[in-house]
Amino acid sequence: MEQTAKKVLKHPLIRGSTILVSGGLLSNFFNFLYNLFMGRQLSITDYGTLASIISIITFPTLLVTAANPVIVRFAGDFFAKNDQMHLRGLYNKFFVFLFGIGLSIFILFLIFIQQIAAFFHISNFFILILANIIIFISFIGAINGSFLQAKLAFGYQVFSNLAVAVVKLGLGVLFVLLGYAVSGAVGAIAASAIAGYFISLFPLRFLFFNKIKSPHIETKELFRYGVPSALTFLGLISFISSDILLVKHYFDAVQAGQYAGLSLIGRVIYFISAPIGTVMFPLIVQKHAKGDNYRNTFILSLGLMLIPSVLLTLFYHFFPIYSILFFLKRPAYLSIAPYLSVFGLYITFYNVLFLFANFYLSIKKTIIFFPVVIGAILQIVLITLYHQTFFQIIMISFILILLLVIGFLVYYPYATKK
C-alpha cells in the first residue's frame, strides 16, 4: 500500500499538478486578495471599469496565449534532446514574431484609443494607455512562460506567478490607498507584468550564452499545427471574456460591475482546475511522440479536474449568499445570487471542454478548432441579439459549451483509435 502511494505521488501528472495546483492556489489567493480589496475599496462602477480593462487586456493576448501549444510542442522536442543551440534559435524566431505582433497592436491601440474608450464608456485615457503597455509586455513575455512549460519547470512557473501576484497585490493596495482608485489598480497590474517578464527570464538565461542556430521547422508543419491550435485557444478564451465586454457595453455601470463580480466568483472554479491541463499537455505530447499509452493520463487529468469543479459548484448552489459576501463583501452584489450556481455549472463544463481541447491538440487532432471557433462566434452573435437579462447571457454560453462537450465526447473514440 505504501509503495503504491509513493508510486502515485511520483507520477509526473500528479507531481506536476500538485506543484502547479498548490502554487496556483497560493498565487490565486493573492490574486483573490487583490480582487477582494478592489471589490471592497472601489465603487461598483469603478470595479466594473477595472473588470472591463482586464477583459480588454485579455482579448489581444488571446493571440499570444493561442501560440502557447505551438511553442511548447517544438520547444519540448528540443528540451528532450538537450539541443540548446536550436532552443536559442527557436526562442529568437518566436520572440521576433511576437514582438512584431505586439508592437503592431500597440500602435493600432493608440490610433483607435478614442473609439475603444467610447465603446466601453471609459473616460480615463490613462488606464487605457496602461492597458496597452500590459498587452505589449504580455506578447514579448509569453514565450518565456511557454519555454518554462516545455522545460517542465513547474516549480519556477509557480514562483514566477506567485511573485507577480504578490507585486500586484502590494502595489495595488498602496496605490488605491494613496487615492489613485482604478488608475492605481491598473498601474499595479502593469508593474507586476514588467516584474514577471524579468523574473521569467532568469531560468532561461542559458539560452543567451549559446551560438545561435535556426531550427529546421517546416513552414507547412508550423502552419498546419500552429494556426488551428491558435484558433482553438482564441475561441476558448473568448468564451470567458467576450461576455464581460458585451455586458459592459449593453448594461449600465452598476450592472456591469455586478456581472464582473459574478464572473470573478465563478471563475475561481477555473483557476483551481486550470493547472491540470497545463501539466497534462506536455506529458501527453511526449507520450504521443514515443507511441506510449496516453489515455490513462487524460482520464486521470479529467478526474482531477472534475473533483474541485463539482464541489465548488455544489457549494455555490447551496450557499450563494455566503459565497458572494465572502468574495465581494458588499450587499449590493447579492442580486447576482440566483445566477451563481448556473454560472458555476457553466464554468465546470467549460473546464471539461478546455481539458478536451488540450488533449486533442496534444495528439495533433487540430480539426477541433472548427467547432470551437464557430461556438465562440455564435456566443458573441447571440449575446448581441439577446441580452435583456444576465440569465439569457449565461444560458447562451452554457448551452454552447454543453453542445461542444457532447461533440468532443462523441469524437473521443475516433480520435484515440490506433
Side-chain angles (χ1 to χ4, degrees), residues 176-347:
V176 170
L177 290 180
L178 287 174
Y180 293 108
V182 70
S183 296
V186 179
I189 299 175
S192 65
I194 295 171
Y197 173 75
F198 288 106
I199 291 170
S200 63
L201 272 178
F202 184 77
L204 301 174
R205 63 191 184 281
F206 68 92
L207 293 173
F208 305 99
F209 298 100
N210 293 304
K211 294 180 180 178
I212 299 173
K213 185 177 181 181
S214 296
H216 297 290
I217 302 174
E218 292 290 338
T219 304
K220 185 187 293 186
E221 180 185 359
L222 185 61
F223 275 90
R224 187 169 58 239
Y225 181 80
V227 173
S229 298
L231 290 173
T232 300
F233 278 89
L234 182 68
L236 286 172
I237 303 175
S238 173
F239 266 114
I240 55 173
S241 302
S242 58
D243 58 335
I244 296 176
L245 293 175
L246 290 170
V247 166
K248 175 65 176 172
H249 178 66
Y250 287 115
F251 288 76
D252 63 46
V254 173
Q255 289 175 308
Q258 289 171 335
Y259 190 86
L262 174 65
S263 179
L264 167 67
I265 301 171
R267 284 196 282 181
V268 169
I269 300 171
Y270 169 72
F271 291 138
I272 290 176
S273 304
I276 306 295
T278 303
V279 176
M280 180 197 73
F281 186 86
L283 290 176
I284 292 185
V285 164
Q286 293 182 14
K287 288 192 173 187
H288 181 258
K290 295 175 183 176
D292 295 340
N293 181 14
Y294 52 79
R295 296 172 190 80
N296 291 339
T297 301
F298 170 67
I299 293 170
L300 179 60
S301 301
L302 188 60
L304 290 173
M305 182 276 299
L306 279 173
I307 291 171
S309 298
V310 171
L311 289 177
L312 270 173
T313 300
L314 289 173
F315 186 86
Y316 289 166
H317 176 72
F318 290 110
F319 306 102
I321 304 298
Y322 176 82
S323 300
I324 292 167
L325 292 178
F326 177 77
F327 283 101
L328 300 172
K329 202 68 177 176
R330 296 186 179 186
Y333 286 100
L334 291 179
S335 60
I336 64 175
Y339 311 111
L340 190 56
S341 60
V342 68
F343 199 94
L345 194 62
Y346 156 56
I347 296 296

Side-chain angles (χ1 to χ4, degrees), residues 60-129:
T61 53
L62 290 175
L63 297 172
V64 70
T65 303
N68 177 67
V70 185
I71 300 172
V72 171
R73 169 164 287 282
F74 287 109
D77 288 341
F78 292 138
F79 272 118
K81 299 170 187 174
N82 196 29
D83 190 345
Q84 295 188 3
M85 286 200 304
H86 277 76
L87 278 169
R88 172 61 172 147
L90 184 71
Y91 187 96
N92 269 353
K93 182 170 287 190
F94 275 107
F95 180 83
V96 171
F97 175 70
L98 293 173
F99 181 88
I101 295 178
L103 184 60
S104 300
I105 291 176
F106 185 87
I107 295 170
L108 287 172
F109 195 104
L110 289 179
I111 293 172
F112 294 103
I113 194 169
Q114 289 188 336
Q115 289 80 1
I116 294 170
F119 184 86
F120 294 109
H121 312 296
I122 297 173
S123 57
N124 188 339
F125 275 53
F126 176 68
I127 60 175
L128 287 173
I129 292 171

Side-chain angles (χ1 to χ4, degrees), residues 366-382:
T366 54
I367 190 66
I368 64 163
F369 86 91
F370 186 72
V372 172
V373 171
I374 293 297
I377 293 172
L378 278 175
Q379 183 201 31
I380 295 172
V381 171
L382 291 174

Side-chain angles (χ1 to χ4, degrees), residues 105-184:
I105 291 176
F106 185 87
I107 295 170
L108 287 172
F109 195 104
L110 289 179
I111 293 172
F112 294 103
I113 194 169
Q114 289 188 336
Q115 289 80 1
I116 294 170
F119 184 86
F120 294 109
H121 312 296
I122 297 173
S123 57
N124 188 339
F125 275 53
F126 176 68
I127 60 175
L128 287 173
I129 292 171
L130 286 176
N132 197 16
I133 293 171
I134 296 166
I135 291 167
F136 177 72
I137 295 169
S138 298
F139 268 84
I140 63 172
I143 190 172
N144 296 345
S146 298
F147 264 64
L148 289 176
Q149 185 181 346
K151 193 174 182 286
L152 303 181
F154 301 125
Y156 202 88
Q157 274 187 285
V158 166
F159 171 74
S160 179
N161 293 336
L162 182 60
V164 169
V166 170
V167 171
K168 182 172 72 173
L169 172 63
L171 292 180
V173 171
L174 176 63
F175 293 159
V176 170
L177 290 180
L178 287 174
Y180 293 108
V182 70
S183 296

